[in-house]
């Protein structure tokens, strides 16, 4: 679970609870949808998701104000 | 483009991502019943992962400490809850009240462990290496290695079957849509925890301190608050949430191995 | 008796010795000005008093009690407030939340709140706004307001006029004058004209040592001394 | 290794003597330890010295924590393995496989480096961890290419076959020197030894070059280094790529030696943990530490288990202790040693030794 947890925290934005929830839901949904549509991609999907979101927002979707 | 962005922002901005995701998936999947099942599963999984991840995020935000040993709390939570459920096996078939009691005991057991382990971790493992990121990563990684070995030593390497209370077994069938009850339970629990955290952070003085501490630790100290106590509290809370998430995950998977945390 | 008396304070940050033995006395009441060039150690002095850096030997006596080595929070609880150079406000919190956090019990004293409103009307206006959206001057006001929301014996203020418009600097000066009637202020300042108009006593710090201390009146009259110590040409 | 002019502390001398002893032992390993297992250990030590030294370039010299080092090692292993499998045992396959591994490593390292080296150390650690774990999963899923969980077996170039006779006596039998058969196994060992030595010397050269000085400056004070005018991100990305290439090369050599490549030997997270333990126990920020760490831990892996098995039986009656002393639990003790070292001797064995006697 460590990897999933890390990915969630990274894409959600470190330090914010709302961000973490958002990241968790996105990862959960993606894992299930991709698992159904393209089972082979299921595990790589999280990674692709993370890369895509980091390119778009380098510090995650909703980072805490710093 | 700007206008579009503005409209998007008004309706929630990035919060809409899951909705967009669900909409795209709906088109791609085609079959509404499978889509509902998958969405519920995704939301439930999301909520459990949220439980596990929220502590990590909070601890990082407040203390600037990234605990690579966080997943040890998840694993321990899973195994402790599973062991308690297995030990109370007789209760699980003995009606809703007894089964609920067993479930509650299992979750409380995991949470209690998380609190205690968090206290230990914060004071013994992390306190000496505050503000030294390199050593922090190394130390918490070392702690993770040791924790995993302890789990292997205590529970052995073989998969462990997790009994579930009878009332959480099975699924609701609405038309041709089937929804596993455990998933609903996981979602509800996650939502309650999230709301609880939001109230704690936004409506209480402790929460105010945490939010202030995330921004500027020194200034919180200069206003006369001992941030170390806050750290310990938040760390314990985070560990307890991870253990709770692990416990829920154990019930979801129903078969757990010591490799659970590391994957 | 002086309110704050610093003797031979030495502070080391990492491997660098920043303060080589700072000594001065802050008498009770009024504004005490700490002058000095950039990098002379003024900010470090304030941070050391506050316990944010730990000064090794020497003593920091506050109201007759040695506070060197105490935790920052304990020092704050003894009645010292700190307004750092970067203002240290919590951007994600509203003005109200910033201020309520500075109260000891989580409640405002109505009289003090009234006073803050009078001194800084902008804060009342933006009461429920998140602090990051305030202007620089308003942030500075918030930071100062946070220091006076509870009764304190001493307020340490680090370069409050840096980067502010002249009109706001003037208002800030008025506010400090008012505050100084009831609370001692230890003010670090680069803006000599501003400092001159406020201070009663002063000290100059250079290269981690106090090189001059005395009254502001004497110092302001001695242009040679100013030139030598501060590098001011006029 | 010049001793002229400079007064050396006895700790440094100890370390350097140890280096000479280790180098000697590895050089004459086939003659000194004449059993298959010992040669296996010696070859593994050679490979891990390079792997750990290249990781130390990241961790010790630059202060970057990456969890993707095994991934690059794995690229090298799989590169050589797949080429040898597809093209048959030949040097062309070795060359193409090695080059392929290096190229993939270089590309991946550059992408990761450019995306994430500008952010905080912690972020980088997390991202490398996530990437590495995904590659591990991919390797076991793409079973047509990688052989999945079972891995790939293949033949190394003919000269490394045990049956190959390097020199024959009058009867046409393989010649023996000091009782050692001059066969392909020996050639393979010396291939591993020489390439490892060359790679290690390159790394050593890098650390004493101006680049090494810049890296240390960045590690000590990033903002300052940036202010002086060093392009921190560029340097970091470069070092990350360099260490990735080194790891990849070490992987290719290992693949040739083992004639087998699978997730457990090339990619698994436990190798990453081994590397981390070796660097920290040996001593971060010194190449000698990498050598000491690799030697100690590889030896421990092979020989400590026997010892622990015996200890476990000795305490059979006591609860939990036998479990913790079981041979499979050796990581438990290493983990504890690791934590204690990070607390009390952050410079590891080599670093601590080398500062000893400095003040006399």
């Amino acid at each position: 679970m460590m990897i999933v947890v890390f990915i969630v925290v990274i894409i959600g934005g470190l330090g914010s609870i709302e961000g973490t929830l958002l990241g968790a839901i996105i990862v959960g949904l993606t894992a299930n949808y991709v698992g159904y549509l393209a089972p082979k991609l299921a595990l790589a999907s999280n990674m692709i998701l993370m890369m895509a979101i980091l390119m778009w927002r380098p510090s995650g979707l909703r980072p805490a104000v710093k | 483009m700007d206008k579009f962005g503005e409209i998007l922002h008004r309706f929630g901005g990035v919060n809409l991502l899951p909705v967009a995701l669900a909409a795209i998936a709906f088109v791609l999947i085609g079959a509404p019943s499978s889509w509902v099942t998958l969405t519920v599963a995704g939301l439930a999984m999301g909520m459990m992962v949220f439980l596990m991840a929220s502590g990590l995020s909070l601890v990082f935000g407040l203390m600037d400490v990234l605990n690579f040993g966080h997943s040890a709390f998840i694993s321990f939570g899973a195994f402790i809850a599973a062991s308690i459920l297995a030990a109370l096996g007789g209760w699980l078939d003995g009606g809703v009240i007894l089964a609920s009691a067993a479930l509650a005991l299992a979750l409380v057991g995991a949470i209690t462990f998380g609190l205690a382990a968090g206290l230990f971790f914060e004071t013994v493992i992390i306190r000496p290496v505050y503000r030294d990121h390199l050593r922090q990563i190394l130390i918490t990684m070392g702690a993770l290695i040791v924790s995993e070995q302890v789990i292997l030593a205590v529970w052995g390497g073989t998969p462990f079957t997790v009994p579930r209370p009878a009332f959480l077994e099975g699924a609701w069938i609405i038309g041709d849509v089937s929804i596993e009850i455990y998933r609903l339970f996981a979602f509800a629990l996650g939502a309650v925890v999230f709301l609880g955290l939001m109230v704690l952070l936004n409506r209480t003085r402790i929460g105010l301190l945490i939010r202030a501490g995330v921004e500027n630790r020194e200034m919180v100290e200069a206003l006369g608050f001992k941030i170390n106590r806050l750290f310990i509290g938040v760390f314990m809370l985070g560990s307890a949430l991870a253990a709770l998430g692990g416990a829920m995950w154990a019930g979801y998977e129903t078969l757990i191995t010591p490799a659970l945390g590391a994957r | 008796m002086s309110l704050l008396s610093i003797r031979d304070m030495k502070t080391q940050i990492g491997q660098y010795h920043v303060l080589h033995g700072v000594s001065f006395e802050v008498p009770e009441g009024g504004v005490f000005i700490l002058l000095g060039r950039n990098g002379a150690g003024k900010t470090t002095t304030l941070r050391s008093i506050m316990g944010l850096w730990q000064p090794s030997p020497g003593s920091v006596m506050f109201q007759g009690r040695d506070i060197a080595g105490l935790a920052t929070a304990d020092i704050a609880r003894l009645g010292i407030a700190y307004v750092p150079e970067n203002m240290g406000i919590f951007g994600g919190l509203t003005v109200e939340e910033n201020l309520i956090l500075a109260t000891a019990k989580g409640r405002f004293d109505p009289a003090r709140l009234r006073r803050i409103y009078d001194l800084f009307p902008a804060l009342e206006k933006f009461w429920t706004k998140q602090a990051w959206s305030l202007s620089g001057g308003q942030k500075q006001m918030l930071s100062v307001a946070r220091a006076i929301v509870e009764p304190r014996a001493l307020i340490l203020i680090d370069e409050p006029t840096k980067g502010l418009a002249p009109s706001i600097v003037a208002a800030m000066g008025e506010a400090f004058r008012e505050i100084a009637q009831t609370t001692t202020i230890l003010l670090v300042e680069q803006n000599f004209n501003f400092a001159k108009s406020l201070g009663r006593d002063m000290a100059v710090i250079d290269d981690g040592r106090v090189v001059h201390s005395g009254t502001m009146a004497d110092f302001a009259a001695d242009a040679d001394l100013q030139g030598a110590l501060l590098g001011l040409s006029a | 290794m010049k001793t002229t002019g400079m007064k050396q502390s006895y700790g440094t001398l100890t370390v350097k003597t140890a280096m000479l002893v280790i180098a000697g032992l590895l050089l004459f390993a086939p003659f000194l330890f004449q059993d298959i297992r010992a040669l296996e250990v010696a070859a593994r030590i050679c490979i891990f010295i390079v792997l750990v030294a290249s990781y130390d370039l990241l961790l010790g010299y630059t202060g970057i924590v990456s969890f993707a080092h095994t991934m690059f090692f794995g690229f090298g292993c799989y590169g050589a393995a797949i080429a040898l499998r597809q093209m048959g045992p030949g040097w062309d396959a070795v060359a193409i496989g090695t080059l392929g591994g290096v190229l993939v490593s270089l590309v991946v390292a550059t992408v990761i480096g450019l995306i994430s080296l500008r952010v905080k150390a912690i972020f980088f650690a997390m991202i490398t961890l996530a990437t590495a774990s995904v590659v591990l999963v991919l390797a076991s899923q793409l079973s047509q290419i990688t052989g999945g969980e079972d891995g790939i077996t293949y033949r190394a170039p003919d000269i490394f076959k045990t049956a190959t006779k390097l020199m024959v006596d009058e009867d046409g039998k393989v010649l023996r020197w000091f009782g050692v058969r001059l066969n392909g196994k020996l050639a393979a060992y010396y291939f591993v030894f020489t390439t490892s030595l060359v790679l290690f010397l390159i790394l050593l050269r890098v650390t004493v070059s101006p680049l090494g000085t810049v890296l240390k400056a960045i590690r000590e004070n990033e903002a300052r280094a940036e202010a002086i005018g060093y392009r921190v991100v560029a340097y970091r990305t470069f070092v990350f790529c360099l260490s990735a290439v080194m790891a990849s090369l070490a992987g290719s050599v290992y693949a040739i030696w083992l004639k087998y490549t699978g997730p457990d030997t090339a990619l698994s997270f436990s190798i990453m943990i081994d590397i981390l333990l070796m660097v920290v126990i040996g001593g971060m920020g010194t190449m000698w530490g990498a050598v000491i760490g690799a030697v100690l831990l590889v030896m421990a892996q092979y020989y400590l288990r026997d010892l622990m098995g015996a200890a476990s039986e000795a305490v059979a009656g006591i609860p939990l202790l036998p479990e913790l002393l079981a041979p499979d639990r050796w990581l438990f003790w290493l983990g504890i040693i690791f934590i204690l070292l990070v607390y009390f001797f952050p410079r590891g064995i080599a670093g601590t030794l080398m500062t000893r006697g400095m003040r006399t």
Side-chain angles (χ1 to χ4, degrees):
Chain A
M1 291 318 290
M2 180 155 79
I3 306 302
V4 180
V5 164
F6 276 173
I7 291 179
V8 162
V9 173
I10 291 174
I11 67 178
L14 282 163
S16 101
I17 289 297
E18 295 100 319
T20 308
L21 179 69
L22 187 63
I25 299 259
I26 292 175
V27 165
L29 286 176
T30 313
N32 278 279
Y33 291 146
V34 179
Y36 176 84
L37 291 166
K40 281 244 154 193
L41 276 176
L43 277 148
S45 68
N46 282 335
M47 190 67 212
I48 297 166
L49 189 71
M50 183 178 86
M51 285 291 176
I53 287 179
L54 280 185
M55 300 241 206
W56 177 38
R57 293 206 170 171
S59 49
L61 291 172
R62 295 189 62 168
V65 189
K66 273 253 176 183
Chain B
M1 200 58 209
D2 265 2
K3 219 165 209 170
F4 179 69
E6 230 168 73
I7 294 169
L8 211 62
H9 190 75
R10 195 171 314 147
F11 284 100
V14 289
N15 293 343
L16 286 177
L17 268 179
V19 181
L21 210 59
I24 295 169
F26 186 76
V27 177
L28 287 177
I29 292 169
S33 63
S34 323
W35 178 81
V36 172
T37 308
L38 287 172
T39 306
V40 171
L43 289 176
M45 181 180 164
M47 279 305 188
M48 284 185 279
V49 174
F50 165 71
L51 286 179
M52 302 179 211
S54 54
L56 188 72
S57 183
L58 208 56
V59 164
F60 179 83
L62 179 65
M63 302 158 70
D64 219 13
V65 165
L66 188 71
N67 180 11
F68 274 83
H70 192 75
S71 68
F73 300 131
I74 299 174
S75 306
F76 269 112
F79 274 93
I80 286 171
S83 299
I84 293 176
L85 283 175
L88 301 177
W91 294 19
L92 296 177
D93 312 316
V96 174
I97 296 172
L98 219 49
S100 312
L103 181 70
L105 271 177
L107 296 183
V108 167
I111 291 174
T112 313
F113 172 84
L115 290 172
L119 180 65
F120 174 80
F121 227 75
E122 208 279 340
T123 47
V124 176
I125 306 279
I126 293 180
R127 180 61 54 86
V129 288
Y130 266 154
R131 294 174 195 213
D132 186 344
H133 279 161
L134 183 64
R135 285 170 77 198
Q136 241 171 48
I137 297 176
L138 296 177
I139 289 266
T140 52
M141 207 70 201
L144 176 65
I145 295 171
V146 172
S147 312
E148 280 186 346
Q149 295 298 316
V150 170
I151 291 178
L152 275 168
V154 175
W155 280 282
T158 46
F160 193 100
T161 314
V162 187
R164 281 210 291 222
F167 68 94
L168 288 177
E169 294 281 7
W172 279 345
I173 314 285
I174 308 160
D176 54 355
V177 177
S178 93
I179 297 171
E180 272 189 46
I181 293 169
Y182 193 84
R183 287 176 180 166
L184 289 181
F185 173 65
F187 183 82
L189 190 77
V192 167
V193 170
F194 175 71
L195 291 177
L197 282 175
M198 290 316 279
V199 169
L200 173 75
L201 282 176
N202 294 323
R203 296 271 179 279
T204 67
R205 192 161 167 80
I206 297 271
L208 200 58
L209 271 173
I210 294 175
R211 282 189 294 144
V214 167
E215 282 191 50
N216 189 339
R217 266 177 288 180
E218 274 187 353
M219 206 53 220
V220 172
E221 288 258 313
L223 288 176
F225 301 98
K226 299 241 172 186
I227 203 127
N228 283 353
R229 284 193 212 147
L230 199 61
F231 281 178
I232 296 180
V234 168
F235 200 92
M236 288 168 69
L237 175 69
S239 315
L241 287 175
L244 176 62
M248 291 301 296
W249 190 253
Y252 182 65
E253 291 272 278
T254 63
L255 195 66
I256 54 174
T257 66
L260 163 100
R263 260 187 300 124
Chain C
M1 192 192 87
S2 1
L3 177 70
L4 181 76
S5 143
I6 296 172
R7 287 225 179 85
D8 200 29
M9 183 163 74
K10 291 179 178 152
T11 302
Q12 193 178 349
I13 301 172
Q15 50 195 333
Y16 306 104
H17 293 269
V18 180
L19 301 184
H20 307 283
V22 167
S23 308
F24 61 90
E25 310 263 327
V26 179
E28 184 126 31
V31 180
F32 184 95
I33 310 275
L34 196 57
L35 293 165
R37 295 190 180 97
N38 257 335
K42 302 177 304 268
T43 298
T44 309
T45 305
L46 290 196
R47 287 177 62 89
S48 302
I49 295 170
M50 211 57 214
L52 291 165
W53 298 123
Q54 285 297 338
S56 42
S59 66
V60 181
M61 305 295 284
F62 175 68
Q63 294 177 329
R65 183 174 164 189
D66 192 355
I67 58 167
L70 288 186
T72 300
D74 293 327
I75 294 173
R77 294 263 168 203
L78 287 175
I80 304 183
Y82 179 46
V83 180
E85 200 176 353
N86 59 11
M87 300 173 280
I89 58 159
F90 306 113
L93 275 54
T94 63
V95 171
E96 178 185 11
E97 286 173 330
N98 265 283
L99 285 171
I100 202 142
L101 202 56
T103 59
K105 299 212 173 80
R107 277 193 313 273
F108 289 117
D109 170 356
R112 289 199 160 260
L113 195 59
R114 193 67 255 153
R115 180 168 163 231
I116 287 171
Y117 286 163
D118 289 344
L119 281 174
F120 309 114
L123 295 183
E124 183 173 15
K125 194 167 143 207
F126 297 117
W127 192 240
T128 55
K129 280 232 167 150
Q130 286 193 309
W132 59 264
S133 63
L134 300 179
S135 73
Q138 289 159 352
K139 282 180 186 158
Q140 191 68 63
M141 291 171 189
L142 176 57
S143 193
V144 173
R146 220 166 40 179
I148 58 171
V149 74
E150 283 285 316
R152 319 260 191 192
L154 176 66
I155 305 179
L156 315 177
I157 306 180
D158 199 349
E159 296 209 26
T161 60
K162 204 168 150 191
L164 297 188
S167 62
I168 299 178
V169 171
M172 207 60 89
E174 283 309 306
F176 289 168
R177 227 164 260 128
E178 203 275 341
I179 294 167
Q181 287 171 9
T182 51
T183 310
T184 312
I185 295 178
L186 171 50
L187 182 69
V188 160
E189 193 47 80
Q190 290 262 34
N191 182 341
F192 184 61
N193 287 325
F194 179 72
K196 195 164 60 179
S197 66
L198 278 173
R200 191 180 68 193
D201 300 285
M202 51 81 61
V204 182
I205 211 166
D206 196 23
D207 194 24
R209 285 189 183 80
V210 171
V211 289
H212 172 85
S213 53
T215 64
M216 197 44 137
D218 291 345
F219 188 73
D222 193 339
D224 291 344
L225 196 60
Q226 288 167 32
L229 295 177
L230 302 176
L232 298 176
S233 48
Chain D
M1 255 173 261
K2 282 177 214 151
T3 46
T4 44
M6 233 166 64
K7 235 185 164 182
Q8 300 239 347
S9 69
Y10 65 81
T12 310
L13 282 179
T14 314
V15 170
K16 291 197 169 160
T17 317
M19 284 311 111
L20 284 178
V21 172
I22 290 170
L25 287 178
L26 287 176
L27 177 60
F28 298 115
F31 299 94
L32 293 170
F33 319 101
Q34 296 187 4
D35 67 294
I36 306 284
R37 198 173 172 212
L39 204 60
E40 208 56 62
V41 174
R44 195 175 158 87
I45 287 177
C46 290
I47 301 285
F48 268 84
I49 286 178
V50 177
L51 198 52
V52 172
S54 59
Y55 188 66
D56 194 26
L57 198 62
L58 282 183
L59 186 67
Y61 284 84
T62 328
I64 299 174
V65 186
S66 155
F67 289 114
H69 211 60
T70 21
M71 177 178 81
F72 299 121
F73 180 67
F75 286 152
C77 288
Y78 274 99
I82 292 167
L84 282 168
R85 175 90 190 161
Q86 306 287 339
M87 301 169 56
W91 287 105
D92 52 342
V94 170
I96 290 178
T98 307
L99 212 64
V102 166
L103 272 180
V104 173
S105 298
L106 209 54
V107 170
V108 174
T110 313
V111 170
I112 297 181
L114 288 181
I115 289 184
S116 46
L117 268 179
R118 51 187 84 240
V119 290
K120 281 188 172 175
I122 278 177
F123 231 57
F124 185 73
M126 291 166 86
I127 287 172
T128 49
L129 186 59
T131 316
S133 68
V134 169
V135 169
L136 177 60
V137 170
L138 280 182
S140 50
Q141 277 190 345
L142 300 173
S143 46
Q144 279 100 342
I145 310 170
T146 61
E149 296 286 345
D150 299 330
I152 321 172
T153 45
Y154 43 85
R155 286 182 297 140
D158 286 341
I159 189 173
F160 298 147
K161 270 201 240 163
T162 313
T164 303
K165 298 160 184 171
L166 295 179
M167 277 191 214
V168 286
D169 56 16
E170 303 88 63
D171 308 333
K173 278 191 179 168
V174 66
L175 190 73
R176 284 170 178 254
W177 269 10
F178 304 102
V180 180
R181 287 195 188 87
L182 297 184
N183 60 11
K185 195 77 185 167
L186 194 69
Y189 176 75
Y190 279 107
F191 169 71
V192 171
F193 178 79
T194 322
T195 42
S196 302
L197 187 65
V198 170
L199 292 177
F200 180 74
L201 289 178
I202 295 175
L203 284 167
L204 199 59
R205 184 72 191 78
V206 169
T207 58
V208 295
S209 70
L211 176 68
T213 322
V214 175
L215 295 181
K216 278 187 179 161
I218 293 176
R219 182 191 59 187
E220 293 311 322
N221 195 336
E222 189 181 330
R224 204 180 137 87
E226 186 102 55
I228 295 172
Y230 293 128
R231 296 178 52 204
V232 172
V233 175
Y235 271 107
R236 286 194 163 157
T237 308
F238 174 74
V239 171
F240 189 53
C241 290
L242 179 68
S243 90
V245 167
M246 285 293 173
S248 173
L249 289 173
S252 297
V253 175
Y254 197 49
I256 294 167
W257 164 259
L258 271 190
K259 304 186 192 100
Y260 163 79
T261 292
D264 288 338
T265 64
L267 276 176
S268 79
F269 195 64
S270 62
I271 301 180
M272 190 63 242
I273 289 181
D274 286 347
I275 298 175
L276 201 63
L277 290 172
M278 288 173 191
V279 170
V280 172
I281 290 177
M284 284 183 275
T286 142
M287 286 288 136
W288 310 129
V291 178
I292 292 181
V295 171
L296 282 182
L297 260 90
V298 174
M299 301 277 277
Q301 262 170 333
Y302 275 84
Y303 298 110
L304 190 69
R305 292 170 188 235
D306 302 348
L307 209 66
M308 286 180 65
S312 174
E313 278 164 28
V315 291
I318 308 163
L320 200 61
L321 210 54
E323 311 293 328
L324 286 176
L325 278 171
D328 288 343
R329 292 293 83 75
W330 72 299
L331 261 180
F332 173 80
W333 301 102
L334 274 185
I336 289 181
I337 293 173
F338 175 86
I339 294 177
L340 293 177
L341 272 174
V342 178
Y343 276 147
F344 300 111
F345 300 102
R347 294 155 170 278
I349 296 175
T352 308
L353 270 180
M354 282 163 84
T355 47
R356 277 287 144 77
M358 289 276 250
R359 290 189 195 122
T360 52

